[in-house]
Amino acid sequence: MTESGPDQLASLEGELNTWRKTMFGRLDRRGDAFPALKEAVRRAGGGDQKQVELEDVRALLIAVVAAAEANEPPDVTADRRARYSRPAVIREVFGLTVFSKDANAKDRFVRAGEAVDLKDPVPHDTMRNNPGAYARQLATWIREYLDQQQRAAEVAPVAETSLLVARDDDLAWLHATYRDLVQRGGGVFQLWGIAGVGKTTLATQFAGQIGPEKVIGIIRVGRRGLFEDDLRRVLGLEGHDTSAWSDEHCEARFRAVVSGRLRSIRLLIFDGVDDPSDVIALVPKGVTVPLLITSRERLRFPEDVTEQLRTPPARRVKTFSEEQSRHLLRGQVADLDVETADSLA
């Protein structure tokens, strides 16, 4: 990342070591300002200079580790040494789960060993003998995360809507199904299709047509850390103060809230669902607003679930046509000539 003047993130490793050794509830008692971590939060937010709280820093760390986990090679578990710096380990070492958040450094390392199934005591000692490695790893991931966001922001100045592939038929189906579910007092509908086909983008585009962010609840199912934050955001939009609640309390409260009368939320989205049981766990009694699910395969629910879940309307998101591929390429690649776009499409 290019900087003008001194590197404002230079103290990242030192601040992360302080964070690693301290229970979250005691961080603010140390008087540490965490200037580099707070600067990272501002950059991740596009330069917003609002007051940055420790919860904002923790939310950024959760997002950074989740991004690293998404890019993790599938065969990393085969390398025992590499397992010490896996996202699952970093998440526990820095207190980014509900159990490790207010654990001491020793207990965090024990949980980290359990996270990668290291049952003998030696690995725990090995992990504790080089704690600085974890700060260096997380600092590297933070810089990579911010670099990726900066590169995304520096894409050629093309109108945002021009990057979207037109899916008018899919959007029409979503709106018609949504209106039908509103009249029924809530219910479930589903978008499914292969990875990378644009389900999340389509769902987000549809949500933007339904209303502003304050009436949309998006839950990134299966994205540990992000999932818990999403539940808290929805509860916050519904007027609940979750600051003193555990993640388990939030999940239980979410189940109760979505099965009752929602005051603000007009559309729920469960993004990236792999298992029907994840949906059942969150809405066991049904839902009082339309709930859109995105998944790679069409979900099949058991017969003993509520009628809303048993046979939800579903639409397959198909791969791009040649024309759609051409449109996407020319929108995302600056100065791409027509002939090359045609060939690639």
Side-chain angles (χ1 to χ4, degrees), residues 17-38:
N17 264 319
T18 299
W19 189 285
R20 175 189 59 76
K21 295 182 292 185
T22 312
M23 298 178 183
F24 184 80
R26 296 180 181 176
L27 284 172
D28 56 351
R29 301 177 193 172
R30 298 178 61 94
D32 297 305
F34 296 108
L37 285 169
K38 291 182 177 181

Side-chain angles (χ1 to χ4, degrees), residues 16 28 51 56 78 95-96 99 103 109 145 147 159 176 234 248 267-268 277 285 288 292-293 326 343:
L16 287 171
D28 56 351
Q51 174 118 17
D56 299 322
L96 304 181
F99 299 107
F109 277 121
Y145 183 86
D147 282 345
V234 170
E248 288 82 0
L267 170 68
L268 279 171
S277 63
K285 298 180 181 179
T288 55
L292 176 61
I293 298 169
R326 184 183 300 110
S343 299

